[in-house]
């Protein structure tokens, strides 16, 4: 999988396949696929859509990164959803309650979110290392608990306030806002998009250039080998989950500090699950995740245009689902094709070195077996 | 296969119902349907209120309205056209306006929200409608409140409207809010009159301020009619978890719990979860009250319509129609601040004839509310 082709081919294949699938679906349902795609592409140039895509991608990027940190260690943190929501509501409450100078205020809110996310992720981590409870089970249950915690915290007699027919936390004072780059009618780019970039670079450096990152990946690929090499597996699980939770805690920050300034009961949920899909799409690579997040955000935001040309915009959900499904398959297919090519190459070299015809005969058989398994 | 099972289930249910009827006959009646504690006499009822002098009905002149130049945009919350509830009510108001005012089909646009979308998506949707010259632009659902606050000031010449919310600081946003508590009061009275166990139930979808208005009115109405009445209350999910509106199984569980506790008339304000409340009422031999639209008439509820004694009506269609007419005639300021009993934008349904015997009582209470002799609070008491 080291080759560039092996990295890029699967996502491209997956996107092409899902586009094809959607085209067929649209044609079967009687809509015009060409006008739908054209509407989606031209939508990017409309109003604030381009900026919205980048803003949304930044949010998705954080969610996917949180999931990816767990994936590197073979931990499936399905609880990013709950971690980010609990962190968002806690940060919103703290942000509205404190009064600090501009700048510092926002920093405190962001740190609160990261710490809350990490603490909420610590529960499944501790359960796993002490009681061996699988993190998927515990964290998905904590997602449901998170919904209850939020409903409790946001109550009027707790920290919430009535906003018409809606309930939300009190508004964060202006000193806690993070300004963005305004493009007039084209929208406002969240200032925290740059923090997201920094986190992405930091993730890459940590994974590829530090001893810790090496140990993390090693524990993920082979826990026994890592243990033999002196890596404390329990400590790695705890640290990986805490980091995953801390990044998850930041997910809602761009929207909270850059636009909404309050957490409403109608504030969006589901980013945690989107993050899982994007982490799969981007193969846990910081660059791959960035492209995946942009693609996802593009599909989400430009789908608003589909209503205008009479194409049901649910088609985008089909497209997103089929992209994830086919990217997983495509990676596997490409991996096997490359494996076969490699075997053939090795076989040829052995044959050239005078290994006899026996080897040459065995190679295709092995390849077939590999392809069928 | 599925149909076969449905037939079988219906058969079983029918047999069950028949045998129960038989039992009731054998014991000479008087047994409470759920086997509850009280005798079959029901509650001690308050005396029927006096009917005040007939309230002046606002005379609507059937003046011809020309809407051929009107472009109407409708932005739905999740669900959209075909949800057999809230959104469809808005659709039917718009359809009526279209037919009566001659609005051209190409000048009407409906767009729908996706689940879990962020504020930016809602803003873009509204902005696009306004940019394309739609006027009025109607946000169906309080979820559009924050987005309208941001978008409306950018289009000062466009008339926006929002159902179920008010947007402060934006004079070009017309609120279309309802007095749900008033109509809920009336169905609360009906529940008290129809209960044989002197115990009724309320099933709310999600514990939000909006649904609490339904609870508040229902409780006050039931207590006004029968001060001793016991009321079971249950919300399916907490604020923030909107699955409570889409989970008939949860509705069924909650309703069954209330029936087991002795309640025999259940009122639901739980969207699609209400289907579960109706089926629990049917199998538990209790009665039920629908919400928002005349649910006894809904095709997908045909199998339970015999337990639906009435429905609390929230005429989103009336509000949408009135708004479109007001915009066409350029008299938005004359719209009622709250769509309430006085303008017949909320009320109760009589389909099935199961409340015909107490209609005079309900209308007396209605008159009391309209003349403000009874004030219904929109917040549940502690």
């Amino acid at each position: 999988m080291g080759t560039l082709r092996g990295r890029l081919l699967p996502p491209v294949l997956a996107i092409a396949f899902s586009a094809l699938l959607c085209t067929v679906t649209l044609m079967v349902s009687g809509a015009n696929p060409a006008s739908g795609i054209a509407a989606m592409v031209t939508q990017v140039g409309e109003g604030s859509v381009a900026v919205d895509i980048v803003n949304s991608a930044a949010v998705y990027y954080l969610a996917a990164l949180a999931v990816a940190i767990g994936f590197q260690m073979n931990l499936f943190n399905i609880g990013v959803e709950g971690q980010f929501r609990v962190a968002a509501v806690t940060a919103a409450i703290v942000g509205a309650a404190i009064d600090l100078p501009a700048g510092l205020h926002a920093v405190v809110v962001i740190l609160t979110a990261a710490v809350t996310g990490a603490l909420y992720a610590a529960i499944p981590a501790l359960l796993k290392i002490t009681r061996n409870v699988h993190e998927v089970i515990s964290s998905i249950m904590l997602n449901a608990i998170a919904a209850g915690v939020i409903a409790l915290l946001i109550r009027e007699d707790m920290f919430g306030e009535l906003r018409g027919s809606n309930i939300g936390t009190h508004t964060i004072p202006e000193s806690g806002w993070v300004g963005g780059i305004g493009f007039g009618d084209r929208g406002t780019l969240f200032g925290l998009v740059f923090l997201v970039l920094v986190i992405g670079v930091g993730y890459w450096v940590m994974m590829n250039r530090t001893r810790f990152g090496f140990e993390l990946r090693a524990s993920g690929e082979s826990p026994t080998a890592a243990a033999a090499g002196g890596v404390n597996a329990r400590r790695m699980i705890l640290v990986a989950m805490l980091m995953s939770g801390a990044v998850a805690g930041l997910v809602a920050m761009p929207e909270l500090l850059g636009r909404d300034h309050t957490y409403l009961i109608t504030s969006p949920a589901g980013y945690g699950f989107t993050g899982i899909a994007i982490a799969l799409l981007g193969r846990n690579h910081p660059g791959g995740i960035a492209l995946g997040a942009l693609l996802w955000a593009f599909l989400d935001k430009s789908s608003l245009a589909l209503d205008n040309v009479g194409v049901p915009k649910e088609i985008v959900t089909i497209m997103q689902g089929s992209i994830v499904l086919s990217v997983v398959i495509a990676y596997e297919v490409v991996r096997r094709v490359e494996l076969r090519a490699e075997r053939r190459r090795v076989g040829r070299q052995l044959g050239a070195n005078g290994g006899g015809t026996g080897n040459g005969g065995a190679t295709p058989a092995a390849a077939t077996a590999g392809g069928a398994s | 296969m599925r149909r076969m099972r449905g037939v079988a289930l219906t058969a079983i249910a029918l047999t069950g119902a028949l045998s129960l009827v038989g039992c009731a006959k054998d014991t000479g009646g008087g047994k409470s349907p759920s086997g509850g504690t009280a005798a079959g006499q029901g509650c001690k009822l308050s005396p029927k209120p006096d009917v005040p002098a007939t309230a002046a009905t606002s005379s609507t002149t059937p003046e011809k309205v020309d809407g051929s130049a009107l472009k109407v945009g409708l932005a739905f919350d999740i669900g959209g056209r075909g949800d057999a509830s809230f959104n469809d009510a808005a659709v039917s108001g718009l359809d009526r306006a279209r037919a009566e005012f001659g609005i051209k089909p190409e000048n009407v646009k409906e767009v729908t929200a996706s689940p879990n979308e962020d504020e930016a998506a809602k803003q873009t949707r509204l902005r696009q409608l306004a940019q394309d010259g739609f006027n009025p632009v109607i946000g169906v659902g309080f979820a559009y409140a924050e987005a309208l606050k941001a978008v409306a000031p950018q289009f000062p010449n466009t008339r926006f409207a929002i159902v179920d919310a008010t947007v402060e600081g934006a004079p070009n946003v017309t609120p279309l809010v309802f007095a749900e508590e008033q109509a809920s009061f009336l169905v609360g009275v009906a529940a008290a009159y129809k209960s044989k166990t002197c115990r009724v139930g309320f099933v709310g979808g999600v514990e939000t301020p909006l649904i609490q208005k339904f609870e508040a009115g229902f409780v006050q109405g039931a207590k006004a009619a029968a001060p001793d009445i016991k009321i079971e209350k249950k919300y399916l999910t907490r604020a923030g978890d909107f699955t409570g509106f889409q989970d008939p199984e949860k509705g069924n569980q909650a309703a069954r719990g209330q029936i087991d506790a002795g309640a025999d008339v259940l009122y639901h304000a739980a969207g699609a979860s209400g289907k579960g409340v109706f089926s629990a009422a049917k199998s538990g031999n209790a009665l039920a009250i629908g919400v928002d639209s005349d649910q006894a008439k809904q095709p997908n509820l045909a199998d339970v319509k015999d337990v639906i004694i009435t429905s609390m009506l929230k005429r989103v269609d009336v509000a949408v129609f009135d708004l479109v007419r007001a915009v066409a005639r350029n008299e938005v300021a004359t719209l009622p601040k709250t769509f309430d009993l006085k303008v017949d934008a909320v009320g109760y349904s009589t389909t099935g004839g199961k409340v015909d015997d107490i209609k005079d009582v309900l209308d007396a209470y209605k008159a009391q509310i309209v003349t403000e002799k009874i004030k219904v609070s929109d917040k549940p008491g502690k």
Side-chain angles (χ1 to χ4, degrees):
Chain A
M1 187 84 65
T3 64
L4 193 63
R5 196 185 66 169
R7 277 165 187 242
L8 289 184
L9 196 60
V12 172
L13 277 178
I15 293 164
F17 173 73
S18 73
L20 184 74
L21 189 76
C22 289
T23 309
V24 173
T25 315
L26 282 177
M27 278 161 71
V28 169
S29 66
N32 182 351
S35 72
I37 291 166
M40 282 179 75
V41 173
T42 50
Q43 172 81 354
V44 177
E46 298 273 329
S48 62
V49 173
V51 171
D52 286 345
I53 288 176
V54 178
N55 284 342
S56 231
V59 172
Y60 294 163
Y61 188 75
L62 284 173
L65 216 54
V67 176
I69 292 171
F71 274 158
Q72 294 280 14
M73 169 77 208
N74 246 346
L75 286 169
F76 192 177
N77 182 7
I78 205 167
V80 168
E81 176 71 15
Q83 289 146 22
F84 108 77
R85 292 186 68 199
V86 167
V89 75
T90 311
I93 290 168
V94 170
I98 58 174
D99 193 12
L100 288 172
L104 186 63
H105 194 157
V107 171
V108 171
V109 175
I110 291 169
L111 287 178
T112 308
V115 170
T116 312
L119 286 179
Y120 206 66
I123 303 172
L126 290 174
L127 283 173
K128 186 173 175 86
I129 58 182
T130 57
R131 314 300 314 166
N132 210 14
V133 178
H134 200 285
E135 76 279 2
V136 168
I137 307 293
S138 54
S139 62
I140 208 167
M141 281 158 73
L142 281 163
N143 283 348
I145 294 171
V149 169
I150 292 165
L152 178 71
L153 290 176
I154 215 163
R155 278 175 72 105
E156 269 181 279
D157 44 5
M158 294 290 281
F159 301 103
E161 65 177 5
L162 206 59
R163 294 163 170 267
S165 300
N166 215 332
I167 314 177
T169 60
H170 301 288
T171 306
I172 298 175
E174 236 171 283
S175 56
W177 300 5
V178 175
I181 302 173
F183 293 92
D185 282 350
R186 297 257 155 210
T188 304
L189 190 70
F190 293 151
L192 288 181
V193 166
F194 298 98
L195 176 71
V196 173
L197 285 178
V198 170
I199 292 174
V201 172
Y203 168 80
W204 184 86
V205 170
M206 184 192 77
M207 281 301 163
N208 296 294
R209 289 288 181 273
T210 66
R211 182 194 158 99
F212 173 77
F214 175 77
E215 290 183 353
L216 194 68
R217 281 184 293 135
S219 317
E221 278 175 21
S222 171
T224 45
V231 178
N232 183 340
R234 289 182 168 192
R235 197 180 71 93
M236 293 311 291
I237 290 173
L238 183 63
V239 175
M241 275 306 264
L242 288 180
M243 282 176 45
S244 175
V247 175
L250 299 178
V251 165
M253 289 306 106
E255 292 182 341
L256 182 70
L257 300 181
R259 186 186 64 213
D260 299 343
H261 314 304
T262 169
Y263 191 89
L264 300 166
I265 49 170
T266 49
S267 284
Y271 289 153
F273 301 114
T274 307
I276 294 171
I278 295 173
L280 283 173
L281 191 60
R283 290 300 269 190
N284 303 332
H285 186 279
I289 295 175
L291 291 177
L294 279 169
L295 173 70
W296 217 262
F298 160 73
L299 289 173
D300 271 352
K301 297 297 169 198
S302 58
S303 70
L304 293 174
L306 290 178
D307 269 335
N308 298 343
V309 292
V311 174
K313 70 176 176 329
E314 283 70 21
I315 196 76
V316 163
T317 313
I318 299 181
M319 193 154 177
Q320 290 172 335
S322 57
I323 285 178
V324 172
L325 199 61
S326 42
V327 84
V328 172
I329 297 169
Y331 273 119
E332 189 58 24
V333 169
V334 170
R335 190 181 71 86
R336 285 182 186 166
V337 167
E338 292 209 327
L339 201 65
R340 198 183 308 180
E342 178 118 0
R343 278 188 190 150
R344 207 171 294 140
R345 199 162 56 241
V346 172
R348 243 195 326 272
Q349 274 172 4
L350 285 175
N353 291 345
T357 50
N359 253 332
T363 312
T368 319
S373 63
Chain B
M1 189 60 207
R2 201 165 186 182
R3 168 172 260 161
M4 289 274 285
R5 200 159 59 185
V7 170
L9 279 175
T10 319
I12 292 166
L14 279 174
T15 334
L18 280 174
S19 59
L20 278 171
V21 169
C23 285
K25 280 235 173 81
D26 286 346
T27 50
K31 205 180 162 215
S32 65
S34 58
T37 46
Q41 310 309 325
C43 302
K44 200 166 140 300
L45 296 164
S46 311
K48 185 183 119 185
D50 303 327
V51 181
T54 43
T57 44
S58 52
S59 58
T60 42
T61 43
E63 191 184 315
K64 189 93 181 94
V65 178
D66 180 26
S68 56
L70 223 52
K71 288 180 80 177
V72 185
L74 227 56
F76 294 117
D77 201 356
I78 47 174
R81 190 185 261 266
D83 71 342
S85 167
F86 189 67
N87 289 326
D88 266 359
V91 168
S92 76
L94 182 62
D95 287 349
R96 204 177 115 212
R98 218 158 80 178
E100 283 190 25
F101 309 151
I103 302 170
K104 298 192 189 89
E106 68 269 24
N107 283 349
V108 171
K109 187 139 111 191
E110 296 165 16
V111 287
T112 308
S114 316
N116 288 328
E117 64 176 21
D118 66 352
E119 286 293 321
K122 291 193 170 66
Q123 291 183 12
T124 304
R125 187 171 302 117
L126 295 169
R127 205 174 283 129
Q128 276 181 348
L129 285 171
Q131 258 161 8
D132 293 348
F134 287 93
N135 190 4
V137 172
I138 307 170
V140 183
F142 70 82
Y144 280 104
E146 298 289 320
L148 271 174
K149 202 182 276 178
V151 174
Q154 298 168 359
F155 300 92
N157 296 323
T158 302
R159 172 58 50 186
F160 293 91
I162 179 163
V163 179
D164 277 351
T166 46
V167 178
E168 273 149 39
N172 57 333
V173 181
T174 307
L176 305 174
V177 290
F178 294 84
E180 290 94 347
E181 68 280 4
Q182 293 184 352
S184 298
F185 184 100
L186 295 185
V187 297
V189 171
Y193 271 77
K194 291 292 173 184
S195 172
K196 294 198 174 67
T197 57
C198 200
R199 197 180 272 267
V200 295
F202 171 79
V203 178
V206 182
E207 193 166 6
T208 61
L210 187 64
I211 302 304
Q212 283 171 336
K213 286 165 92 177
F214 293 81
E215 180 205 332
F218 180 71
V219 169
Q220 288 169 70
K223 290 218 163 125
D228 301 333
I229 200 162
K230 300 276 188 300
I231 300 161
E232 306 286 327
K233 288 176 248 176
K234 171 83 183 163
Y235 284 90
L236 301 181
T237 55
R238 298 274 167 208
D241 176 3
F242 285 89
T243 56
F245 287 130
Q246 291 148 5
D247 195 337
E249 184 48 40
K250 271 202 186 110
N252 193 304
Q253 293 286 348
R256 219 179 298 163
Q258 298 187 341
I259 293 168
D260 287 346
D264 64 346
V265 184
L266 307 182
Y267 174 39
H268 89 85
S273 307
K275 201 169 175 5
V277 175
F278 292 134
S279 55
K282 189 171 174 109
S283 56
N285 246 0
L287 300 170
I289 297 171
V291 77
D292 287 347
S293 50
D294 189 352
Q295 297 206 284
K297 270 191 190 156
Q298 283 175 359
N300 61 344
L301 294 174
D303 55 332
V304 290
K305 71 167 191 276
D306 50 324
V307 300
I308 304 176
I309 53 169
T310 179
S311 295
M312 173 273 184
L313 299 178
K314 173 173 170 181
R315 305 287 303 271
V316 179
D317 55 332
V318 168
V320 168
F321 178 82
D322 284 1
L323 176 91
V324 175
R325 186 178 58 190
V327 171
R329 290 163 58 164
N330 203 13
E331 50 173 37
V332 177
T334 64
L335 282 173
K337 281 208 166 47
T338 308
F339 286 84
D340 56 10
L341 276 178
K342 203 180 288 178
V343 295
D344 273 324
V346 294
Y348 64 95
S349 66
T350 53
T351 304
K354 294 191 183 66
V355 289
D356 286 357
D357 53 332
I358 54 169
K359 198 168 181 313
D360 56 331
V361 178
L362 296 178
D363 286 341
Y365 276 106
K366 179 181 167 181
Q368 293 266 325
I369 294 172
V370 169
T371 55
E372 294 181 12
K373 287 222 172 65
I374 294 178
K375 285 213 170 72
V376 188
S377 163
D378 61 359
K379 289 196 174 50
K382 293 284 165 195

